[in-house]
Amino acid sequence: MYFLVQLINGLQIGSIYALIALGYTMVYGIIKLINFAHGDIMMVGAYLALLLLNNGIPIIPAMLISMAGCAIFGIIIERLAYKPLRKSSRLSALITAIGVSLLLQNAAMLVFGSAARTFPDLTKGMPSFQLGSNSVNILTVISIVLAIVVMIALQLFVTRSKAGTAMRAVSEDTDAAELMGINVNTTISMTFAIGSGLAAFAAILFCMAYPQVTPYMGAMPGIKAFIAAVLGGIGVIPGAMIGGFILGVIEALTKAYIPSGYSALSDAVVFAILIIVLLVKPSGLLGRPQREKV
Amino acid sequence: MLLSVDSINVYYGRIHAVRDISFEVAKGEVVTLIGANGAGKTTILQTISGILQPKSGTIKYEGVEIQNKPAYKILQSGLAQVPEGRRIFTNLTVRENLEMGAYTRHDKEGITEDLKKSFSRFPRLEERRNQHAGTLSGGEQQMLAIARALMSKPKLLLLDEPSMGLSPLLVQEIFRIIRDVNEDGTTVLLVEQNAQLALSVADRGYVLETGKVIMSGGAKTLLVDERIKAAYLGGEA
């Protein structure tokens, strides 16, 4: 039973990693940029949701508004910071992404202060059930299911819709896509919007599990989601989902089964996974080896 | 004139790839630009399609200047390109590639109709319509690239080196298709290294060398021109 509870914990944190990893992987797929500011978009989403909830707005509309807000915010960041660098070296864009990350963290500190704010306990009043000696809140299960539903919807959008197909076309060959009459700028904006919206959704799920909002809260989940994206194969959408869940479960199980006092080791395990993936299969679980374009 | 290119200059960074080039394509014609590697042929097509911008000069399509328009708008005005090296989307299925060709169209029934048309023109593509385009052979990929461009119902089709890397038999097939497309009413601007082949389907030709037009005229005249024979036709024509 203890194992089952830990597995549920792992799936919960894993679904959060997966949602954030999707943003990394989609943006990488389309403009070959590791958007290191992505974790901080999640932080912005958390503050947005917190402000809305504190002003008496119910959770569902608060979540939707926060997602829409982050989507717009993501588009603006891309237009201002990354678009001017689209023809520059990838290193310039990467350094800019780190700059945007620092900017967002410090701006949040300026606006909201550095002290942690408490996120309202959404599980209050929700039923929970017993698994052995542990109780699991129904909201935990709902959030996992919801995350999976969102991911399936995204996968259907990308593989079945015209806009999603155009997105895959742009990610494979930008110039050829433009020759088809696809507006590449719009497609890139759409990618940032979806990725950032998913990050805001992840932020709320994250705050359900760890109800604290700080300017730096996006850093660690951001890095871990990046590892999840690399694990699954960066640029591959189902890879990000699978990578996120695997990483979450591994993290939860290490935390559960190593002696207390050493729980920080679970982070070490996660980073070790990154190193092993890069050594053994850099293209990730679902990634295909990169062919160089001639 | 359907297309008039008037003294355009195009640079790749500091390299002056296209120098003061002018030429015209009339409705219904097949016009070819021939010349060796590095003559600037691909650069010209990329500039017409809006992937590259000229530093100076104008490109008029149906009388309207298009040289500063983005590529996706140029396609919408009825000008499609089959790029060099085919550039099909290898991770998309054959059918999805064709649907991307029709990206700017919204007439669902018309698209379905034209899908059928491309499948009857290229039966091999129909057999493979649900396969990833990356699994196709070179000749099939070239056919897909042409079919994809035609899905936008262009008035002017730009073709960049359609014979590249194909067996002589397939090259014949591709050129038969080009003639066919032209007979259906689509104007064609063809860029080729294989000058003899290109001139055999074209009405008129322009000969390029290091970014400049050095000769132009009717295709039949160029085919028998001694200088062209010596330089591009290997003297065997």
Side-chain angles (χ1 to χ4, degrees):
Chain A
M1 277 304 150
Y2 181 67
F3 176 79
L4 203 60
V5 172
Q6 292 310 324
L7 193 66
I8 291 175
N9 279 340
L11 290 176
Q12 185 187 18
I13 189 73
S15 66
I16 294 165
Y17 292 157
L19 287 168
I20 307 173
L22 282 169
Y24 272 110
T25 226
M26 288 169 76
V27 164
Y28 182 84
I30 210 148
I31 56 170
K32 301 288 171 284
L33 164 74
I34 306 286
N35 181 15
F36 274 120
H38 190 58
D40 303 294
I41 302 261
M42 173 208 154
M43 173 271 293
V44 172
Y47 273 108
L48 257 174
L50 179 67
L51 286 179
L52 293 164
L53 288 171
N54 284 349
N55 282 300
I57 299 187
I59 177 65
I60 303 287
M63 189 164 85
L64 295 176
I65 296 170
S66 160
M67 287 170 72
C70 274
I72 293 165
F73 194 57
I75 294 173
I76 294 171
I77 290 176
E78 192 275 327
R79 283 284 149 112
L80 294 180
Y82 304 143
K83 194 179 169 213
L85 295 169
R86 217 175 275 162
K87 300 254 188 279
S88 329
S89 79
R90 277 155 71 174
L91 188 61
S92 315
L94 187 73
I95 292 168
T96 306
I98 296 171
V100 172
S101 166
L102 292 173
L103 178 76
L104 291 181
Q105 288 176 5
N106 286 288
M109 200 143 74
L110 202 68
V111 176
F112 303 108
S114 58
R117 300 196 180 192
T118 310
F119 200 82
D121 185 6
L122 300 171
T123 57
K124 209 181 281 170
M126 296 292 274
S128 49
F129 56 92
Q130 288 297 124
L131 269 180
S133 56
N134 297 278
S135 81
V136 176
N137 194 279
I138 194 82
L139 207 57
T140 307
V141 181
I142 291 176
S143 75
I144 296 169
V145 172
L146 211 54
I148 293 172
V149 169
V150 166
M151 285 183 241
I152 292 171
L154 177 74
Q155 182 65 11
L156 287 178
F157 168 75
V158 170
T159 53
R160 300 285 167 83
S161 75
K162 188 170 165 183
T165 311
M167 210 159 152
R168 286 182 288 142
V170 172
S171 95
E172 184 174 336
D173 189 334
T174 311
D175 283 351
E178 216 164 347
L179 288 177
M180 301 298 109
I182 296 168
N183 185 339
V184 170
N185 286 330
T186 311
T187 308
I188 292 174
S189 290
M190 185 178 75
T191 308
F192 271 84
I194 294 173
S196 306
L198 292 179
F201 182 49
I204 291 159
L205 299 189
F206 187 81
C207 290
M208 281 182 193
Y210 309 94
Q212 281 210 324
V213 183
T214 75
Y216 299 112
M217 66 178 283
M220 205 50 162
I223 293 278
K224 286 183 182 166
F226 167 66
I227 296 172
V230 173
L231 172 64
I234 191 125
V236 187
I237 288 176
M241 303 177 190
I242 292 169
F245 280 113
I246 293 178
L247 205 71
V249 169
I250 291 177
E251 188 184 305
L253 293 182
T254 1
K255 260 191 193 140
Y257 289 103
I258 55 178
S260 57
Y262 295 95
S263 67
L265 262 178
S266 71
D267 287 345
V269 170
V270 167
F271 288 108
I273 290 172
L274 175 66
I275 295 169
I276 292 167
V277 171
L278 291 178
L279 286 176
V280 178
K281 197 168 185 298
S283 55
L285 292 174
L286 300 188
R288 271 165 292 183
Q290 277 287 312
R291 279 165 300 171
E292 279 298 317
K293 268 190 210 158
V294 186
Chain B
M1 279 298 148
L2 187 60
L3 180 79
S4 4
V5 175
D6 189 14
S7 45
I8 54 165
N9 283 283
V10 189
Y11 290 75
Y12 269 121
R14 282 216 213 115
I15 300 163
H16 197 170
V18 170
R19 300 163 187 262
D20 263 330
I21 280 190
S22 304
F23 63 91
E24 291 180 326
V25 182
K27 198 161 180 294
E29 273 189 312
V30 177
V31 172
T32 181
L33 308 178
I34 53 178
N37 231 343
K41 306 183 302 283
T42 295
T43 310
I44 293 171
L45 289 199
Q46 297 279 67
T47 311
I48 297 171
S49 280
I51 299 287
L52 296 172
Q53 265 71 45
K55 198 151 211 172
S56 63
T58 60
I59 301 170
K60 279 190 188 160
Y61 174 74
E62 292 187 313
V64 182
E65 289 193 16
I66 57 165
Q67 72 271 12
N68 294 319
K69 285 193 183 173
Y72 71 91
K73 287 223 166 117
I74 291 176
L75 178 107
Q76 282 172 14
S77 59
L79 202 158
Q81 186 185 148
V82 179
E84 184 181 15
R86 331 189 217 289
R87 306 282 284 269
I88 53 157
F89 302 113
T90 54
N91 297 325
L92 269 53
T93 65
V94 168
R95 197 201 163 94
E96 284 172 335
N97 266 276
L98 293 172
E99 283 167 356
M100 285 296 102
Y103 181 77
T104 56
R105 292 173 57 185
H106 298 288
D107 53 325
K108 267 205 168 151
E109 282 160 28
I111 294 173
T112 319
E113 192 62 29
D114 284 343
L115 261 178
K116 273 192 206 142
K117 237 193 241 170
S118 3
F119 285 148
S120 67
R121 185 175 255 149
F122 305 101
R124 298 282 285 165
L125 296 183
E126 180 161 33
E127 284 166 35
R128 290 160 195 268
R129 64 171 172 236
N130 293 322
Q131 285 182 24
H132 280 183
T135 63
L136 300 183
S137 72
E140 289 163 351
Q141 291 193 5
Q142 187 63 64
M143 288 173 195
L144 177 58
I146 295 173
R148 183 180 68 172
L150 289 173
M151 284 301 290
S152 69
K153 288 198 150 187
K155 290 178 213 152
L156 174 60
L157 183 68
L158 312 178
L159 288 147
D160 196 349
E161 302 274 5
S163 74
M164 197 164 70
L166 300 184
S167 71
L169 211 66
L170 276 169
V171 171
Q172 291 297 329
E173 172 77 8
I174 296 284
F175 274 75
R176 188 189 59 72
I177 290 160
I178 294 172
R179 229 175 268 135
D180 201 45
V181 166
N182 179 244
E183 274 160 21
D184 280 356
T186 310
T187 309
V188 174
L189 176 60
L190 169 69
V191 152
E192 259 296 343
Q193 273 193 64
N194 189 335
Q196 181 164 17
L197 202 61
L199 289 171
S200 71
V201 294
D203 298 305
R204 293 188 301 113
Y206 293 84
V207 184
L208 303 177
E209 212 173 81
T210 56
K212 282 187 290 201
V213 173
I214 55 160
M215 207 185 293
S216 67
K220 291 201 177 72
T221 324
L222 290 177
L223 258 177
V224 295
D225 189 284
E226 291 303 323
R227 287 163 296 176
I228 308 267
K229 268 192 198 170
Y232 301 105
L233 305 178
E236 61 188 23

